[in-house]
């Protein structure tokens, strides 16, 4: 039993609100326990310089926290004049993860800008960002589809992420809140696709190590937890969600 | 009659949600029409270097917009590595306005950090920030009072702000939304206190000018509109709101 | 009677030296009491990216102080690697004010760069900058006119600025020097045009407020003081000054 | 058989030269195939502000590449004025990995600065940096021990890292060179300790995914490859290497 | 005969105006032909961190040009957010040169900040800056002496600087104006003291070289020109100038 | 006799290793005593914006030190976010020196990027950088020649640099190591060409001065020392070295 009453394999309550902000093509508020992230996906009709002329699209992500999303106020990165290493790591991770399930070849020379802004933090902000951003990106592509700028949803599969860890008591747990995260010996973030494959595994023992057995336990926990996230994403996306993977299938024959 | 159906002296619907984010001492979501700003007030138990040793407190504000709070996505200031002139102007204005109604001498060497983060923008973000931030600051001082760190609420009077302008049709209007703001010949932001005094008047004719008569009409519009904001603030603050000005009164005798 | 012997509505001695620096198209040294500002206007034969292809010109301003223009030496902004909020506010104000009296449509895709460099400061540097910059800009357009790059002076009206304020004694005064500025409860900067209209009103009560009556007294003081500035500008511009407004008149018929 | 003639589980030739640069307390040149990294460990007799007063030490790492370490010249990060996200990720990884096998409590308020400078790059620079940095850090602590500033080597176990990946042919391979890295579907970096535990697992499918079976194959490859690295580290460290883990053992009784 | 009518060894007209700006302890406007530099010396009652606790003073210099000091407007370094290599070179040179004739041991833990701001440029701005800054520094020390904060003028000798060069016609000339500087094959800046010693020699052949004979001719030209600068400095300093070197003499006995 | 046993006119042992790093067109490790610098020359097939369309090439240099190249660890310039004045001075010097012996007209619109990275420092890093960079640049042009991208080696003459100085004992010495450099009253860096001409003379008395006689002694020392450097460069370049100057000779007739 964990401090907040959950069992080791129990996720916190999760809620995805779509169309949260009015301007972006795709906008989602994702709440995972007390962690709340606004995920906005914006379509820009051009690609960054290094991609020009290839006829392909691009997806990139930015991540930020409001200064007082956390217990202690953090200095704003715009005031410091530079983005921290932690922020860079997270935004690179989000972008990479999303690109793994989107067919970049099929939506023209467009960029999808994904903005994940944490308005309240209680652990797991990067995994909540990925899970929410996936929905926002699907919604944004839905707008392109509706406006007939593309013919098929370029989303090949579902994508979600969760944290797992090893507590100082050597128990493996899923979906760590901030207090647990601070106590954990090992912290691992796992990103998976709807068909059960891995996209990203990042396991870290800060001043600690972990065994192969602990690794396998964590992978199992994550696998089962992520299935629940897919269900919540599907519900949030409704009919649009049924088109996910269709692009892959129709292309399948000649791939 | 204006495009959105309002009369020239009609405010948009305004809503203040208190205790919006869980960590800050004071937290407010203010909605003015489609403009939505999270105003968080954080108490830090020290003052900036230039204030040390004077036994006084300080209030400072930071302002930011989510990249896609607006119709077009803006580049994040943390990515650009510097804060724009517009942002600096606004955060200086918010800080100055709040300091005009708070007795800096009466809450010790503490800093109140006010963070105004616009999550959705449709004109009037700086005035909404001031109006919402006032409530967040009062709430934060309420926490200090409850914890007996101070004896009286150091808030001398109510404070709110509204925009007024002259449209290209030469009509004066209040509380301009984004579309009106883009069309207006003259744009003015006015900050007033509960006792009807001015704290700040910033009127600007971008590639245009305005007469004394137009100025007076705008001041009248603002004066009446701001009264409505005070009512909404009072309702949001409840009992705490009744303590506003008490510090001034009790000190009055020996000032 | 004020500390320096002036009456409340008395300006300090003002002197405008034209052709002060040899390279710029327009160059002025303006002295307002002990405040001395070099105002240089440079013509560049292109506009910034956001203006390209519109067939219009642009005016932008930069403001700086020598490190020891003030009583205490300030760190150079180039050494700090960033421009302060105060500087940004002032340079945005100067640019906006100048654009209000210049017909941007009538001098082609050119940029007028206005550099206001304070070499000695004793209060009122931003208003002196505007008053001097107006003359420098007119001189620069005079060069374009002389070289037949434009047909008419694109300056629609005179423009000048002055500060007014409320002292701690509740007296309203004009043209505050540094010592008065530091003591004043309310500080207001006003920019007006030759035909008596306002371009910009910026009134601020730092940790103080002001009434409608005080506002009106300050506006009256400013109105009368600015008339004297126009006389000094006219004298400095000589024959060229007589062409101001001619562009507006000749266009008037078909506007 | 791979392009360079290696089998899938074959490392490139590895060479560690100790005492490479004369000033640092610990200095190593590590060569892994054509990848060459100078790893310098410097002891500073104080800790960063966030660690002060705890009586503990700290280890931090910086990573850089000479502009022409790579096939195409890269712009120097000092010229760009900021460190890239990739660099930040790598230096955070190196620091974290080293801290996992060092007892921070046992060498006083000192900082070990680890500088990994890649002078020639051909894939695997971050894993070579970790493997080389471990030796440099051990050497630096050896100097402290010799100078009697500490009583025992605060290194709890060996530490090394290697890359593994899945090629587009679906074969898993170890120690990818640059050409292989560019072709690989999945890239994974693994850091392990002498007792066979994991410190860090970072697996990434850029625009690709991987199955649990592929993950297990990669882990096995890494496990066996890292054993060879430990042998090379032991040889490089000589007698000093025999003291590794001794601190843990002697403390073991009362932990 | 040179384009502007001067002989090869003829300086341009030079004028030094003292007490030019009112706030600095020492302030000078130096005019060398059309080159005009404001040199301000400010006394700060502390030294930079690396000098603290040594009981010695420090002199440091900053150099800048107004954006339109030159024929083409330059972007302001504060806007670019960094100081150019050229500026850094010049300000390091000015500081070094001044320190060579000031006894840093004899004015306590104070810093002399020297600001050289070029308001109009026509070649030779760095040498004019040194020549003018020397006078400003002497004036600033004069204030300390008058206020009895020091007992003797800590200036050991006069100091002045001039440029020499080799034109494309192979003639050596002194005090090059901007046009000559652009044409010259070799450019040399020489700083000397009143007793005829060198402080700094910086000779550069940009895409060119020079012989030992040419070097000697340039040194001779400089030597004779600098004598004239000393006369102008002496006249500008008046009685204060007679105290220069006195500190050295009185200390001479026990040095 | 000097502390390290050398006579006043004796260079430290010098070694130039060519083809040190595999990717650059020209790569050299130069060792001067304990000073070790990697000099890489990279060819880029375009020139910087200010050179475009002139049909000429450009040579530019960057200089850096590993953080622990020195006795005390220096903060990395990429971490500080800006390049120091010292670094800028040195890289400007290296670029200028190399351009003086290369015919920029004869290798098309290409840029030679020269990177001098000091991996171990013991005085004289800037002169070692120039001497080594010359060889790297010649090697890089050798590659262009071999690949028939140019017809002749665009190197007009040999180029090398050395430091000389005046010790506190008033002795002039050559090739100062770090300890001597710290003690020296006067420090001078001299760059010369194979035909005995000067390219650059930078002599500095930090808090000291020097006489004409001392200058001449230093020039003589440098002249003789640099001859030895040319021999070492010739040996390192082998056959390629014989082509140096050939371009000048063949062009000579019609120059």
């Amino acid at each position: 039993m964990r401090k907040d009453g959950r069992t080791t394999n129990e996720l916190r309550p999760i809620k995805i609100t779509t169309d949260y902000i009015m301007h972006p093509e795709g906008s989602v508020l994702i709440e995972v326990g007390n962690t709340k992230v606004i995920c906005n996906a914006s379509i820009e009709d051009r690609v960054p310089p290094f991609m020009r002329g290839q006829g392909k699209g691009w997806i990139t992500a930015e991540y930020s926290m409001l200064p007082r999303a956390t217990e202690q106020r953090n200095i704003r990165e715009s005031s410091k004049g530079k983005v921290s290493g932690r922020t860079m790591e997270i935004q690179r991770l989000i972008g990479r993860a999303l690109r793994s399930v989107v067919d970049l070849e099929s939506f023209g020379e467009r960029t999808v800008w994904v903005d994940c802004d944490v308005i309240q933090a209680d652990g797991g902000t990067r995994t909540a960002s990925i899970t929410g951003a996936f929905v926002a990106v699907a919604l944004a592509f839905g707008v392109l589809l509706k406006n007939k700028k593309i013919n098929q949803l370029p989303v090949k599969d579902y994508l979600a992420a969760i944290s797992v860890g090893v507590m100082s008591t050597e128990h493996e747990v899923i979906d760590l809140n901030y207090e647990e995260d601070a106590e954990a010996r090992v912290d691992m973030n796992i990103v998976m696709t709807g068909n059960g494959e891995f996209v990203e595994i990042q396991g870290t023992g800060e001043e600690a190590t972990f065994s192969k057995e602990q690794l396998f336990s964590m992978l199992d926990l994550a696998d089962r937890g992520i299935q629940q996230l897919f269900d919540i994403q599907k519900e949030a996306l409704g009919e649009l969600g049924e088109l996910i993977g269709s692009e892959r299938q129709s292309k399948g024959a000649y791939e």
Side-chain angles (χ1 to χ4, degrees), chain A residues 198-214:
Chain A
F198 295 106
V199 169
E200 192 91 28
I201 297 179
Q202 294 196 340
T204 293
E206 172 80 29
E207 302 176 30
T209 61
F210 53 103
S211 67
K212 198 170 286 188
E213 291 66 39
Q214 290 174 319

Side-chain angles (χ1 to χ4, degrees), chain A residues 10-207:
Chain A
E10 188 179 347
L11 300 179
R12 291 177 285 178
I14 293 161
K15 186 175 163 195
I16 294 177
T17 307
T18 54
D19 301 326
Y20 186 67
I21 296 298
M22 72 180 188
H23 297 301
E25 284 72 25
S27 178
V28 154
L29 174 71
I30 182 166
E31 299 169 79
V32 178
N34 283 321
T35 290
K36 301 184 185 189
V37 187
I38 301 176
C39 303
N40 289 334
S42 303
I43 306 284
E44 188 187 22
D45 283 338
R46 59 176 185 173
V47 285
F50 71 91
M51 295 284 297
R52 279 181 203 150
Q54 302 178 38
K56 292 174 58 177
W58 187 244
I59 301 180
T60 189
E62 293 193 350
Y63 166 97
S64 187
M65 290 210 287
L66 295 203
R68 196 60 194 284
T70 48
E71 182 50 39
Q72 298 295 315
R73 187 180 181 276
N74 294 298
I75 300 174
R76 221 171 260 272
E77 293 189 330
S78 56
S79 302
K80 281 192 289 190
K82 63 179 177 181
V83 171
S84 73
R86 178 184 175 275
T87 293
M88 284 206 184
E89 247 178 61
I90 295 175
Q91 51 200 24
R92 283 158 58 92
L93 168 64
I94 301 170
R96 242 177 10 236
L98 293 169
R99 290 191 297 270
S100 74
V101 289
V102 172
D103 183 1
L104 300 177
E105 313 272 348
S106 68
F107 59 97
E109 293 212 346
R110 292 189 173 90
T111 299
V112 185
W113 288 88
V114 177
D115 289 294
C116 298
D117 284 89
V118 180
I119 60 174
Q120 190 169 285
D122 187 27
T125 62
R126 79 185 70 187
T127 50
S129 294
I130 291 169
T131 305
F134 173 79
V135 177
V137 167
L139 290 171
F141 281 128
V143 170
L144 284 187
L145 194 63
K146 198 175 156 193
N147 296 343
K148 301 201 192 302
K149 301 222 171 142
I150 54 175
N151 301 320
Q152 273 182 309
L153 204 68
V155 183
K156 297 184 288 189
D157 204 347
Y158 277 86
L159 179 91
I162 200 73
S163 72
V164 284
V166 182
M167 302 304 293
S168 54
T169 57
E170 300 296 328
H171 289 97
E172 293 86 19
V173 297
I174 194 166
D175 189 21
L176 292 74
N177 63 24
Y178 179 74
E179 192 185 352
E180 290 174 326
D181 192 57
E183 277 177 37
R185 294 180 60 254
V186 179
D187 181 35
M188 181 169 277
N189 293 293
I190 293 178
V191 188
M192 295 183 78
T193 59
N195 70 350
E197 296 239 309
F198 295 106
V199 169
E200 192 91 28
I201 297 179
Q202 294 196 340
T204 293
E206 172 80 29
E207 302 176 30

